[in-house]
Structures are given as C-alpha cells and as structure tokens.
Amino acid sequence: MDEEQMMREAADEKLINDAFQRLLDNYLASRHRKKVDLITKAFNFARQAHKGVRRLSGEPYIMHPIAVAQIACEEVGLGSTSICAALLHDVVEDTDYTTEDIENMFGPKIAQIVDGLTKISGGIFGEQASAQAENFKKLLLTMSDDIRVILIKICDRLHNMRTLESQPANKQYKIAGETLYIYAPLANRLGLYKIKSELENLSFQYEHPEEYASIKAKLASTEASRHELFDQFTNPIEDALKQMGIKYEIKERVKTPFSIWSKMQNKHVTFDEIYDILAVRIIFTPDKREEEINECFKIYVAISQIYKSHPDRLRDWLSHPKANGYQALHVTLMSKQGRWIEVQIRSDRMDEIAEQGFAAHWKYKEGEDVEYTEDENELNEWLRTIKEILDDPQPDAMDFLDAIKLNLFASEIFVFTPKGEIKTMPTGCTALDFAFSIHTFLGSHCIGAKVNHKLVPLSHKLQSGDQVEILTSKSQHVQPSWISFVSTAKAKAKIQAILRRNSREMQKAGEDLFHEFLKKNGIEDSLNAADQLAEFHEVRNREYFFQALAEKTILLGEKDVDELQGKNKANKGGWRKLVPFLGRGKEEKKPTEKRQELFVVTKDFNRKIPIYISDENINQYKFKHCCHPIPGDDVLGFIDGKHQIEIHKRDCPIAAKLKASFGNRILDAKWDMQKKLYFDAVIRIQGIDRVGMLLDISKIISSQMNVNIHKLTVASDDGVFDGTIEMRVHDRANAQEIVNQLKTVDGLQEVTQIM
C-alpha cells in the first residue's frame, strides 16, 4: 500500500470516527435511555458491511447512514431504536446481509424498521414505470406498523437532498420533483416544519437555480432594514412582557426563498410587493404546564393594547391543534411603519412540537426510548384514511398520488356533528365530504344536509364551527358528477371505487351486446374485433367501447360490419361520432408527416447529458399546452410512451407528477435559441381607465418594443379596466422587458405575465 493511499485511509478513518462521535454526543445529551453499546454495535456492523464503498461525492458510504442517524437524533429527536435502524438502513439492500441477520443481532423491532425501509427503496431508480408511486404505497403501508419507518425515510431523503450536487441534472430534477411532490408535504403532515421548509428550499434551489439565487440576494440586501423594523416593532412588546414577569424569547422568522417564490408565482407579484416576509415569534416558558394556553391569551391581550390587531387574521390552534400536532396563537398587528406583521405566540413545548413534530411528543414521556403508542389520535385517524385508500387503490399510480396529496396538503376546519362532537375536516370540504368521513353508506346515499339547521345541497362548502346533519335516502346512488365537488381523499377514493364497480357492470352489459351483434352478423368473435371497432369509433380502449354500447352512445350498424369485413379501407377515419368525452385528445390527430419529424429516443441514448433545444431542432420535440413553455423558462424533457420527448416547465403541475411517478424518464433540457422564432405570450393588465390609455399601451409594445400584438381584450367597469394582451415574443426575457416598460404607463396598476 503506497503512502498516499495510507494517508487517504487515515483521513477517512478520522472523518468517520468524528461523525460517529458527534452522533453519540447528541444522543447522550437527549432525554432518551442511554443505549450507547447498541448504537456502537450497529455502527461497527454497518461500517464493516459498507467497507470500501464510496458515494458519488467520493466520501466513504458509511458517512450517509451516520448522517441519516444524526438527523434522526438531533433534528427529529428519535431514540436508540431509530438511530440503530438509520445506521443499518442500507445494509440489507446494498450488501449480502438479510433481515434475519439484523434480527439475530439487533432484535425484532430494529429488524422490522430496517425491513420497512428496504421495501421502500427497492427499485427506486429502476426502469419500471410508476416505481416511485409504488414505493410510496409501500411507504404508507409500513408507516401504519411503525411511524418511525417514515420518519427515518424523511431523514434519508433530507440527507440525499443536502448532497444532491454530485448527481447529474436529470437525476436532480427527478429527486427534487419527488421531494416537492411527496416528501415535503409528508414532513409537513407529520409536523416536521423545519425539515419540510429545508426540503422545499433545496428542491427549489436545484429546479430554479437563478430564481433561488436572485431571492437569496434580495433577502440579503433587505436584511438590515428588516432587522431595524423587527427591533422597532418588538421593543415595546419586550417591555410589556418584562412587566408581566414572563420568561420569554422573541425570534425573527423570515419567509423561506421557496415560500416567497411560490407567493410571487401564485399572486403574480414581485419580491418588493410581498409584505409578510417578516414575522415575529414569541416563545415563553410557563410556570405551570396547565397554564400555557391561558398565558398565550394573556400575551395576546397585552400586545393588542400596544398595536391594533387585524380583525380577520386571528388564528387559534390552542384548544384544537392542527392534525400534525401544531399549537399556537397567530395574530396580525399593524406596526408603526404601516406594515401588517404576523406574531406567533407559543410555549417552549409548542415550539418544540412545531419544529420536530410528533417525535417531540415522545420527548415528554420521560426517560425511555418510547415505542409508538396509540394516543396520537389525529395521526392515527389520518393513517386510517390512508389505509382505506390503499385497500382500494387506484388503477393508475398518478391518480393514487393525487388522492394522497389531497390528504397531505389540507389545512383544517372544525365541524360539529348533531350531537356536538367535533370533527377535523380539510378547508374547502363539502357536506358530501363530511358524509363520507363518517361512513361510506352515509356518503353514497346522501341527498343533502342541514348546516346550522338550514337545508343545503351536497356541494355546500363547510365553514369552521358549522354543525352538520346528513340527510339520506335509500333510493339515492353515487353520481359521476360528485367527483367534481368533493375535496377529501377518502370521499374521492370511495366515489371512484363505486363508479368503477358500476362501470364494470356496464362494460359487462356492453360486452354481451357486442357478442350478440357479432353472432347475428356471422362474424368471428374475438377481442381484436372489439379493439378494431374501438379504434374505428375513436374510443380510448375496448372497455370504454363496451361502456358506450351499454349507455347507447354508440349504436352498432352496417358501417361496423363493413369495418370488420375490411370494406371501409378507402374512407377510413372519415366518420366521426358525436360523443366528445369519449374521443381522443387533439394531439393524437396530428398528421403523420409531423410525427415522423419527432425525435425518437433509442436504447443507446445517453439520458445523463442535457438536450439542447435550438431554432433548427425545435420541431423534433413536443411542446405541451399544460404549461406553455417558451425560451427562457426553466424546462425539462420527459420521454413519453412513444419514446418521444415532451418539453415541460420544471414547475408545471403535470411535470411534478411525472417526476414523482416516472423519474427515470426525466431529461435535462436547455435552450440554445438565436432569437429567430416567435412564441405566444400573454400579459394581464389592470388599472384606472382614462382617455388615451390603450394608445399609450400599444405605443410601448408596437413602436418602442417593436413587438406584434396578436390579440387585445379589455373590459372596463366604473372606471376600472381589466384586460389581456396576446403577443409574439422571442423569449421570456423579451416578455418581461415589455412588462417592465408597461409598468411606467400612468394609471396601469397591475402588469403580470400569465403565460
């Protein structure tokens, strides 16, 4: 062994030992039972198992399990069972050791968690479609056995995100996309607010590096003025708290770059127009635990005597915490500088639960490495809903992810039953959602409801504090239209399951009609005949064709006999049926010549290097209408089922699902345009109407910017106008330049790019 290799091995040893010592120090400082020997044994076992293996970044592989265990211990507050499982989480998947070996050495509980983590990871980078959605199903199934499986998986994902720079760009988009679509909302649902924010920010950093850098720079440049505002605002509050004799800490909370960017996108505003970048957090230590809710309200009363509070922005999560355990009192106050500032009031215990989630509950069960117990009622209620969805999974992995996301993202309201029992429901839920949340029978036979003793339809949206009584009838059955107005995952899943069952019955009836038709006309019975007629009638597949037959939206006749006997070849495709919802999408009717120009991905295509979109090859790619990408947008490529490449914006909602379900088909895409071609852009304008307004707007666009206006639509009402300008531009920067120029027009209040 040469000297250089010996030095490298010595440096690795020191790196590994220092990281493990830091983990032990953190563990010893916690309230958990001190099982140092067990943790050391797990570390030595994992170190030996991963010996000689390195990560893409070049560091020894064992550094990853140590880092995951460190996050589990320090940032989530887990104990020795979880730390050992985190250290061992890749051993079964990446080495020759089995779950039985882990059980023999570390006992059944650690082995069960490691087994759960191994099941989730299987095939994550494999070629199979929807691999990540399948893994997510496994994740949720193991989660109901032991919540620590999912907590460690989130720690694993956080460390992978922190070390994402060593991956190629297409893998970065895949992993960042999955993180934003699945893991960040999951962390939020489990109350891991700090981790959720970091996952969102890291995803944002890799998907939109320029916007991320720009917001970071703006936050840095406005830091001094923010500190000044914070000090001026909090000085009188501190004086009041000192007079009350309260032990407190006041923190400055700044919005994360991701949440600032999300608000800029959703509200179409600039950085300077966001006023809630700064919030104030008051964290106090109560003399007695049972007095902490009263103390929150005492602090609220004291500070609302200093500043005027916003009447509609008091949020009370004290008596009824959020489903993820979050407790606090939020109030918005008017500062002396004329800015609304949100103040969050919470005790040290509430603060710890807000930062670390359910794991922090365990820290208050003194002294031991506590097993997961059944007293986290809200979490168990949520897990039960997830299990119900899993019991009747959607046929399509994308639908499944959508159903779960409805449950992950929902913020809550509180609704009362006729007997006065409280139920937590998602914001925006309807009377029908409430019916399904109580019982499937109640939901499927629901004809209406009484909300606060007044009769309302099924689609009535519930408000916090409503008292709801569900009205049913045995003659009522599930209607397809119900899907459009329910918002909870449980209701959607149940309605879809019932409709699918009904649909199967309809398909069977249609199939019988089809067989009778073939028999009557002396045509050989085969599934190919059904496929042929489905294509002839432009129906998606034979199942839809059978259903259409049963519903009488397709009637079989002479033309179908001719089709099956080959007599329609001359004018094939000339006939069009009149049922639009069963037809193909517009994109499938492109002429064949166009299709031949599209680039086709072959087996030896290198997916790790970016594709460059230029003026010459732009027609080789499919540009989707879901997000309308134009040069200058952050984009990615997706290899579709025909091995052709679709181009999407990286923040397109469809692309978000694709990254989470078909991550191995994502490509890095970059623009290489020479400003020869034009693309559609739409700008929205709002303002105060005056004589000459349209002339000033068109002067800037046509004369000054030399851009051709394609379409201009403006509606004026009581001196205020709202309109859109459709134009042809070279790229996104070109459109932004026009927006900036239009903002100088007198009377134009709002100018935003909407497409």
Side-chain angles (χ1 to χ4, degrees):
M1 191 187 292
D2 60 22
E3 192 178 335
E4 190 181 330
Q5 195 178 346
M6 283 172 66
M7 283 174 70
R8 195 166 89 164
E9 284 195 5
D12 284 351
E13 284 290 304
K14 183 173 183 341
L15 187 73
I16 294 164
N17 290 334
D18 287 354
F20 181 62
Q21 191 54 52
R22 183 171 158 238
L23 171 64
L24 279 185
D25 292 345
N26 268 108
Y27 173 66
L28 289 166
S30 74
R31 298 189 189 192
H32 290 287
R33 217 165 26 178
K34 307 299 177 264
K35 292 189 181 175
V36 175
D37 293 348
L38 187 67
I39 292 173
T40 307
K41 182 180 171 186
F43 163 65
N44 288 327
F45 182 76
R47 184 185 208 171
Q48 192 56 41
H50 295 300
K51 197 172 177 65
V53 182
R54 291 185 179 273
R55 298 189 86 207
L56 279 181
S57 58
E59 66 178 12
Y61 193 88
I62 187 65
M63 292 300 288
H64 169 64
I66 296 171
V68 175
Q70 179 72 40
I71 294 167
C73 175
E74 185 180 5
E75 298 180 51
V76 186
L78 298 173
S80 62
T81 304
S82 304
I83 292 169
C84 290
L87 288 166
L88 300 165
H89 80 271
D90 280 334
V91 166
V92 175
E93 190 189 345
D94 295 344
T95 73
D96 294 333
Y97 289 104
T98 64
T99 310
E100 287 72 34
D101 297 329
I102 303 288
E103 186 170 348
N104 292 336
M105 291 189 71
F106 299 97
K109 183 45 75 180
I110 289 173
Q112 184 193 345
I113 297 172
V114 171
D115 186 45
L117 289 159
T118 306
K119 279 179 184 154
I120 300 160
S121 298
I124 193 162
F125 295 122
E127 287 302 307
Q128 94 200 67
S130 309
Q132 189 58 15
E134 289 305 317
N135 285 326
F136 193 44
K137 284 184 190 177
K138 293 176 196 167
L139 182 79
L140 293 165
L141 283 167
T142 51
M143 181 175 174
S144 45
D145 297 330
D146 193 318
I147 197 76
R148 288 175 289 195
V149 173
I150 185 73
L151 292 170
I152 296 165
K153 185 64 196 168
I154 288 170
C155 298
D156 178 42
R157 177 49 60 119
L158 179 58
H159 186 247
N160 283 335
M161 286 301 296
R162 285 174 178 172
T163 54
L164 199 56
E165 71 253 12
S166 53
Q167 294 278 2
N170 63 324
K171 276 277 176 68
Q172 288 178 348
Y173 302 150
K174 166 205 184 312
I175 295 167
E178 284 169 8
T179 301
L180 212 50
Y181 197 74
I182 294 172
Y183 289 96
L186 200 46
N188 185 47
R189 198 60 168 78
L190 295 168
L192 303 166
Y193 179 76
K194 216 167 160 186
I195 288 177
K196 169 226 145 187
S197 296
E198 190 177 346
L199 288 173
E200 286 175 341
N201 265 334
L202 287 165
S203 299
F204 174 42
Q205 184 181 339
Y206 284 102
E207 293 218 303
H208 303 283
E210 287 175 17
E211 278 103 326
Y212 177 80
S214 162
I215 291 172
K216 284 282 280 187
K218 282 172 182 165
L219 281 172
S221 68
T222 55
E223 191 175 9
S225 60
R226 253 195 334 272
H227 286 330
E228 192 180 335
L229 176 63
F230 175 79
D231 290 340
Q232 288 172 353
F233 181 75
T234 55
N235 284 341
I237 293 175
E238 293 210 43
D239 292 341
L241 294 176
K242 279 172 190 162
Q243 279 178 10
M244 292 164 75
I246 290 171
K247 288 184 232 158
Y248 71 91
E249 183 185 0
I250 294 190
K251 287 182 181 173
E252 185 178 344
R253 193 229 66 188
V254 179
K255 246 185 175 7
T256 62
F258 173 79
S259 58
I260 291 171
W261 178 76
S262 297
K263 195 158 192 178
M264 285 164 67
Q265 300 302 305
N266 297 335
K267 306 257 187 198
H268 298 296
V269 293
T270 63
F271 179 90
D272 299 322
E273 291 168 308
I274 296 176
Y275 289 109
D276 59 347
I277 286 174
L278 173 71
V280 171
R281 195 169 282 162
I282 300 172
I283 301 155
F284 66 92
T285 308
D287 294 329
K288 294 176 185 169
R289 280 276 159 240
E290 58 272 18
E291 287 295 312
E292 62 183 355
I293 289 179
N294 287 343
E295 286 209 32
C296 278
F297 280 109
K298 279 182 194 167
I299 293 169
Y300 163 59
V301 170
I303 62 176
S304 57
Q305 286 171 351
I306 304 168
Y307 298 109
K308 288 277 178 288
S309 64
H310 194 298
D312 301 327
R313 292 205 208 157
L314 178 67
R315 301 280 180 269
D316 173 12
W317 286 296
L318 295 174
S319 319
H320 300 292
K322 287 188 183 183
N324 61 17
Y326 181 84
Q327 262 185 303
L329 187 64
H330 290 197
V331 56
T332 304
L333 303 171
M334 176 56 79
S335 70
K336 299 280 193 280
Q337 290 75 24
R339 297 269 290 268
W340 289 110
I341 294 180
E342 186 183 70
V343 179
Q344 301 166 357
I345 307 165
R346 56 205 202 196
S347 70
D348 49 359
R349 181 191 67 84
M350 294 172 192
D351 186 59
E352 197 164 3
I353 288 169
E355 296 294 310
Q356 294 191 327
F358 276 108
H361 286 290
W362 297 332
K363 297 174 84 170
Y364 288 88
K365 295 169 187 171
E366 283 293 325
E368 53 183 69
D369 191 13
V370 185
E371 299 300 320
Y372 169 58
T373 59
E374 289 298 312
D375 64 349
E376 276 85 22
N377 292 326
E378 290 285 7
L379 182 61
N380 280 299
E381 185 60 41
W382 181 62
L383 288 176
R384 265 195 295 279
T385 303
I386 296 292
K387 273 210 131 167
E388 282 181 17
I389 296 166
L390 288 163
D391 288 341
D392 183 36
Q394 306 295 323
D396 182 358
M398 305 275 267
D399 291 346
F400 167 77
L401 285 175
D402 275 349
I404 297 297
K405 275 187 75 69
L406 285 172
N407 258 43
L408 293 178
F409 268 145
S411 50
E412 293 121 358
I413 59 170
F414 301 104
V415 183
F416 294 91
T417 66
K419 291 181 180 173
E421 292 165 16
I422 241 179
K423 274 195 83 76
T424 305
M425 295 292 294
T427 304
C429 72
T430 60
L432 189 57
D433 284 304
F434 182 75
F436 273 104
S437 76
I438 294 168
H439 198 279
T440 304
F441 179 85
L442 208 62
S444 51
H445 294 285
C446 178
I447 52 168
K450 280 186 177 177
V451 173
N452 307 327
H453 310 293
K454 284 181 186 166
L455 196 61
V456 297
L458 302 178
S459 56
H460 177 83
K461 287 198 174 177
L462 302 178
Q463 305 292 324
S464 213
D466 280 349
Q467 188 167 24
V468 187
E469 181 189 348
I470 298 299
L471 307 172
T472 60
S473 163
K474 283 186 180 173
S475 62
Q476 175 70 296
H477 296 290
V478 170
Q479 306 296 317
S481 60
W482 288 7
I483 277 288
S484 62
F485 59 75
V486 290
S487 66
T488 57
K490 182 175 179 177
K492 261 194 165 62
K494 291 294 177 193
I495 292 167
Q496 280 169 335
I498 294 164
L499 289 174
R500 277 202 302 278
R501 194 168 64 236
N502 296 347
S503 172
R504 280 195 291 271
E505 288 166 11
M506 291 291 280
Q507 282 170 22
K508 182 74 185 76
E511 198 172 349
D512 293 343
L513 285 170
F514 177 67
H515 293 319
E516 275 174 42
F517 170 76
L518 293 181
K519 195 174 174 184
K520 188 173 135 192
N521 288 283
I523 298 168
E524 189 186 340
D525 197 343
S526 74
L527 288 175
N528 286 345
D531 291 336
Q532 191 178 340
L533 285 189
E535 192 177 340
F536 178 62
H537 285 276
E538 292 193 317
V539 179
R540 202 187 305 174
N541 55 36
R542 79 170 81 104
E543 285 77 17
Y544 278 81
F545 172 63
F546 290 148
Q547 193 171 334
L549 288 181
E551 290 169 347
K552 304 283 190 290
T553 52
I554 288 178
L555 299 171
L556 297 173
E558 283 300 315
K559 63 187 181 305
D560 299 285
V561 177
D562 291 347
E563 170 63 24
L564 291 172
Q565 291 174 344
K567 293 176 186 172
N568 281 345
K569 293 283 182 241
N571 64 346
K572 186 159 185 179
W575 183 83
R576 290 281 177 271
K577 70 184 175 50
L578 299 172
V579 188
F581 72 92
L582 290 173
R584 292 176 177 175
K586 285 179 188 168
E587 287 181 32
E588 300 212 9
K589 294 179 188 166
K590 284 180 185 167
T592 2
E593 310 87 72
K594 187 86 173 171
R595 280 189 182 169
Q596 286 164 354
E597 291 175 14
L598 292 170
F599 180 79
V600 176
V601 175
T602 55
K603 278 186 181 175
D604 52 0
F605 180 79
N606 185 351
R607 300 183 184 204
K608 289 185 180 176
I609 60 169
I611 54 168
Y612 286 90
I613 307 162
S614 65
D615 298 278
E616 288 71 36
N617 71 11
I618 195 162
N619 287 330
Q620 294 184 346
Y621 304 110
K622 293 179 175 178
F623 283 79
K624 307 303 284 183
H625 294 295
C626 49
C627 55
H628 194 76
I630 71 171
D633 288 331
D634 288 336
V635 288
L636 51 77
F638 171 70
I639 303 168
D640 68 10
K642 295 177 181 173
H643 303 289
Q644 292 159 351
I645 298 174
E646 296 177 2
I647 304 297
H648 292 268
K649 285 186 188 176
R650 284 181 216 156
D651 56 350
C652 160
I654 302 295
K657 291 185 202 175
L658 297 173
K659 285 178 277 192
S661 293
F662 307 101
N664 54 308
R665 298 200 216 158
I666 298 293
L667 303 172
D668 183 17
K670 297 188 187 305
W671 298 101
D672 183 21
M673 309 295 286
Q674 306 303 316
K675 297 198 182 236
K676 292 179 190 171
L677 303 176
Y678 287 92
F679 300 85
D680 292 328
V682 181
I683 289 173
R684 185 178 179 191
I685 50 171
Q686 294 164 286
I688 311 299
D689 206 357
R690 61 171 171 79
V691 176
M693 172 64 84
L694 273 182
L695 182 64
D696 289 350
I697 290 170
S698 56
K699 261 187 195 167
I700 281 184
I701 297 171
S702 304
S703 313
Q704 208 172 318
M705 306 294 297
N706 198 22
V707 168
N708 184 21
I709 296 176
H710 197 52
K711 186 178 175 187
L712 180 65
T713 315
V714 179
S716 184
D717 184 18
D718 282 343
V720 175
F721 72 87
D722 191 335
T724 55
I725 308 167
E726 294 177 30
M727 61 188 80
R728 314 277 284 158
V729 295
H730 288 303
D731 52 30
R732 189 62 71 198
N734 197 187
Q736 190 54 50
E737 208 179 324
I738 294 166
V739 168
N740 296 340
Q741 289 293 331
L742 286 175
K743 283 183 176 177
T744 63
V745 174
D746 183 33
L748 259 186
Q749 303 294 317
E750 299 280 333
V751 187
T752 48
Q753 275 191 64
I754 56 173
M755 208 165 81

